[in-house]
C-alpha cells in the first residue's frame, strides 16, 4: 500500500528526538500546571490539545501529503507516551486524536481524507473514536450498538454509544455500524453537528474526568457517503486494528515511566525500608525498557507491513498491549507502596497514577478482551513462536 510505504520510508526532514522534544515543551509549559484541574475538576484542555497538535503530536502516523510528518507509528506512540508521563487523561485524548488520523490515513475515500485529515493531524480540529463497542462486537464480546440503513446518498444511523472521549461541539469521531438487512458493517466519521445526534454527559469517572467523554445518541442520523471510511469495512477494520491497539501502549509506557520517577523520589526518604518490597524500582524500570523496545520495534514492523499483517505479528501486538496494562497496574501499585501514607492523601500523584493505571487496563481493548483475542489466535502462531 503506497500510503504506508511512504510512512515507512520516513521523512528525512523530521527526527524522532526533535518530535518528542516539541511535545515535551508543551507538556512542561502548558500541561503540567493544569493536571490537577483536568484530573480533579474535569476541565477539558482544548487549548492544550491545540498546542500539542501544533507541536506535531498527532501528525506522525500521517503522510506528509496529508499534513503529517510521515515519521510513523513509533513517533505517534512516543508522543502519547510523553504526554501520558504527565497526565494520562491528556495522553488518552492524544491517542483518540491519533486513532482518528489513523482511520482517515487508511481509508480509500481519498476525498474525505484530503478534506479532514490535515486539520485533525495538526490538532486544529479535535477528534475521537467510538470503536470500543464494534471492537468488542467483532470478537464476540457484545452486541453491535449502531445500525446503518442504506438510504439515497448515504446511511441512516440509529443507536447509542455509551462513552466517546475527546468530544465537543463540531469534533469528528469514527464509528462502525451494522448495515441493516446484511451481514456487513460500515465505518464513517460523524460529528454532533449532524442532525439527530445528541451528546450526553451522564457519568462521572474516578479518573479521566477531563477527557470530554459523552454518551452519543443517534436518532435517524443521516451519514452521507462523503463521510464513509469504508462500507463494507471488514477488511478495513483488519487493517486499522493493529495500529489502534499498539498506539495505546504509549499511555502505559508514559504512566510507568512516571511511576519509576515517583518511586525513585520516595526512595530518597524511605529507601532503607522500601528495599524490602517485592517490586523494586530497578525491576519496574528494566521491564519498562524491555516493553518500550518491543513496542517501538513492533511499530516499525507495522509501518513496514502492507497494511494486512499475519497472526504472529498481531499476536505480538496484543501481547505488547497486555504488557502495557499489566505493567501499569504493577508500577502504580508499587508507587503507592513506596510512597506510603503521603500517597494516601487526596490529590497525591501516586493516587492519580493508580486511578490512571486502571484505565489502561479497562479501555478497549481491555485486559480481558486482549486475553480473549490471544486465546482465539490460531495454533500455528503459537507453533511459530515456540
Ligand atoms: C473514561 C472513559 C472514557 C472512554 N472513552 C471511550 C472512547 O473514547 N471511545 C469508545 O469507544 N469507548 C470509550 N470508553 C469505553 C471503554 O473503552 C470500554 O469499552 C469500557 O470501559 C468497558 O469496557 P470493558 O471491555 O471492560 O467492558 P465491560 O465493562 O465489561 O462491559 C461493558 C458493557 O457495559 C455496558 N455499560 C456501559 N455503560 C455502563 C454503565 N454506566 N454501567 C454499567 N454498564 C455499562 C456497555 O454497554 C457494555 O455492554 C471509555 C470508557 C471510560 C470509562
Amino acid at each position: 500500500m503506497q500510503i504506508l510505504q511512504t510512512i515507512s520510508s520516513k521523512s528525512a526532514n523530521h527526527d524522532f528526538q526533535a518530535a518528542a522534544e516539541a511535545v515535551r515543551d508543551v507538556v512542561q509549559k502548558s500541561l503540567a500546571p493544569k493536571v490537577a484541574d483536568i484530573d480533579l475538576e474535569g476541565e477539558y484542555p482544548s487549548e492544550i490539545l491545540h498546542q500539542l497538535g501544533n507541536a506535531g503530536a498527532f501528525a506522525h502516523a500521517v503522510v506528509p501529503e496529508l499534513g503529517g510528518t510521515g515519521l510513523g507509528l513509533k513517533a505517534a506512540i512516543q508522543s502519547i507516551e510523553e504526554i501520558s508521563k504527565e497526565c494520562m487523561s491528556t495522553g488518552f485524548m492524544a491517542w483518540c486524536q491519533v486513532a482518528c488520523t489513523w482511520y482517515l490515513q487508511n481509508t480509500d475515500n481519498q476525498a474525505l481524507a484530503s478534506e479532514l485529515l490535515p486539520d485533525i493531524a495538526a490538532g486544529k480540529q479535535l477528534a475521537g473514536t467510538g470503536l470500543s463497542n464494534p471492537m468488542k462486537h467483532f470478537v464476540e464480546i457484545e452486541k453491535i450498538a449502531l445500525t446503518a440503513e442504506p438510504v439515497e446518498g448515504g446511511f441512516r444511523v440509529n443507536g447509542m454509544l455509551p462513552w466517546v472521549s475527546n468530544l465537543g461541539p463540531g469534533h469528528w469521531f469514527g464509528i462502525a455500524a451494522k448495515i441493516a438487512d446484511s451481514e456487513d458493517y460500515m465505518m464513517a466519521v460523524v460529528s454532533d453537528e449532524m442532525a439527530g445526534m445528541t451528546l450526553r454527559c451522564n457519568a462521572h469517572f474516578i479518573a479521566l474526568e477531563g477527557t470530554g467523554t459523552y454518551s452519543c445518541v443517534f436518532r435517524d442520523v443521516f451519514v452521507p457517503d462523503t463521510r464513509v471510511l469504508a462500507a463494507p469495512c471488514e477488511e478495513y477494520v483488519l487493517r486499522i486494528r493493529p495500529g489502534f491497539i499498539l498506539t495505546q501502549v504509549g499511555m502505559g509506557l508514559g504512566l510507568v515511566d512516571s511511576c519509576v520517577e515517583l518511586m525513585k523520589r520516595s526512595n530518597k526518604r524511605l529507601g532503607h525500608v522500601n528495599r524490602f518490597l517485592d517490586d523494586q524500582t530497578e525491576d519496574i524500570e528494566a521491564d519498562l525498557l524491555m516493553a518500550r523496545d518491543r513496542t517501538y520495534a513492533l511499530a516499525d514492523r507495522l509501518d513496514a507491513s502492507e497494511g494486512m499483517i499475519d497472526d504472529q505479528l498481531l499476536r505480538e501486538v496484543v501481547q505488547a498491549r497486555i504488557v502495557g496494562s499489566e505493567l501499569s497496574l504493577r508500577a502504580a501499585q508499587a508507587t503507592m507502596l513506596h510512597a506510603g501514607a503521603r500517597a494516601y492523601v487526596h490529590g497525591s500523584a501516586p493516587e492519580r497514577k493508580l486511578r490512571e493505571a486502571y484505565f489502561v487496563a479497562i479501555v478497549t481493548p481491555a485486559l480481558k478482551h486482549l486475553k480473549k483475542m490471544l486465546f482465539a489466535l490460531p495454533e500455528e502462531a503459537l507453533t511459530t513462536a515456540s
Side-chain angles (χ1 to χ4, degrees):
M1 200 183 159
Q2 189 263 331
I3 282 173
L4 292 175
Q5 278 164 358
T6 313
I7 287 180
S8 69
S9 69
K10 297 186 178 64
S11 160
N13 301 330
H14 288 87
D15 131 274
F16 289 88
Q17 224 174 337
E21 272 164 23
V23 171
R24 200 173 305 132
D25 193 51
V26 178
V27 167
Q28 283 166 2
K29 288 187 182 136
S30 302
L31 180 58
K34 296 298 285 179
V35 174
D37 292 336
I38 296 166
D39 179 53
L40 299 175
E41 308 298 329
E43 191 176 309
Y44 177 69
S46 53
E47 182 46 39
I48 296 170
L49 290 166
H50 291 309
Q51 287 178 29
L52 287 165
N54 193 38
F58 317 130
H60 301 309
V62 177
V63 290
E65 303 86 85
L66 290 168
T69 68
L71 282 175
L73 287 169
K74 182 166 79 183
I77 291 167
Q78 287 170 336
S79 287
I80 295 166
E81 181 180 344
E82 204 55 51
I83 300 164
S84 301
K85 281 182 197 170
E86 193 63 45
C87 171
M88 226 199 55
S89 298
T90 312
F92 174 58
M93 289 184 276
W95 174 80
C96 295
Q97 185 88 12
V98 166
C100 197
T101 69
W102 187 236
Y103 305 156
L104 288 161
Q105 174 64 70
N106 281 282
T107 181
D108 289 331
N109 185 345
Q110 287 303 302
L112 179 63
S114 304
E115 184 190 342
L116 298 188
L117 192 42
D119 278 355
I120 295 178
K124 290 180 188 160
Q125 170 69 56
L126 297 176
T129 161
L131 285 208
S132 281
N133 162 260
M135 287 294 179
K136 285 187 268 182
H137 176 70
F138 293 140
V139 295
E140 295 169 0
I141 295 177
E142 64 186 37
K143 288 185 181 156
I144 192 80
L146 300 179
T147 53
E149 182 194 342
V151 291
E152 180 73 32
F155 293 89
R156 191 175 6 243
V157 176
N158 278 287
M160 198 272 284
L161 297 174
W163 295 317
V164 183
S165 304
N166 208 28
L167 294 191
H171 296 196
W172 292 103
F173 62 103
I175 58 155
K178 183 150 197 299
I179 300 175
D181 301 322
S182 89
E183 293 305 309
D184 290 328
Y185 297 82
M186 58 82 87
M187 268 193 71
V189 283
V190 298
S191 109
D192 65 305
E193 288 178 352
M194 290 176 160
M197 166 100 71
T198 319
L199 303 187
R200 289 188 187 148
C201 180
N202 56 8
H204 292 287
F205 304 108
I206 62 164
L208 283 287
E209 183 64 1
T211 50
T213 300
Y214 297 89
S215 69
C216 307
V217 181
F218 294 70
R219 279 209 191 90
D220 290 334
V221 175
F222 174 65
V223 178
D225 289 330
T226 52
R227 297 292 174 240
V228 171
L229 291 160
C233 67
E234 279 78 351
E235 189 266 342
Y236 172 78
V237 167
L238 293 180
R239 223 184 311 147
I240 58 169
R241 189 171 60 167
F244 174 102
I245 296 174
L246 193 69
T247 44
Q248 289 183 336
V249 183
M251 295 191 284
L253 296 175
L255 178 102
V256 174
D257 190 289
S258 63
C259 286
V260 168
E261 287 311 309
L262 287 170
M263 281 188 275
K264 284 181 180 169
R265 230 179 281 167
S266 297
N267 279 349
K268 286 189 184 144
R269 214 169 28 89
L270 298 166
H272 62 288
V273 60
N274 281 348
R275 70 194 178 91
F276 293 99
L277 286 167
D278 287 341
D279 268 324
Q280 290 295 304
T281 315
E282 308 78 60
D283 303 331
I284 305 274
E285 195 165 27
D287 287 350
L288 170 64
L289 292 179
M290 214 178 335
R292 187 181 274 143
D293 282 353
R294 282 206 187 129
T295 305
Y296 291 175
L298 283 168
D300 286 342
R301 282 167 68 193
L302 288 187
D303 278 343
S305 75
E306 299 287 309
M308 300 299 285
I309 62 166
D310 62 23
D311 282 337
Q312 177 55 31
L313 184 49
L314 178 61
R315 201 178 162 80
E316 290 180 53
V317 167
V318 170
Q319 277 166 331
R321 175 73 176 87
I322 288 174
V323 168
S325 291
E326 291 181 338
L327 191 55
S328 293
L329 294 172
R330 212 177 113 213
Q333 164 146 309
T335 304
M336 284 294 292
L337 297 178
H338 274 65
R342 280 165 204 236
Y344 213 71
V345 174
H346 267 307
S348 78
E351 176 235 5
R352 176 164 56 84
K353 299 293 169 189
L354 194 65
R355 291 184 282 110
E356 290 177 345
Y358 279 101
F359 186 73
V360 183
I362 64 131
V363 69
T364 299
L367 202 41
K368 55 192 173 183
H369 177 161
L370 292 160
K371 297 217 169 187
K372 184 176 194 297
M373 283 180 79
L374 210 50
F375 181 75
L377 279 165
E379 284 294 317
E380 303 91 82
L382 277 174
T383 317
T384 323
S386 58

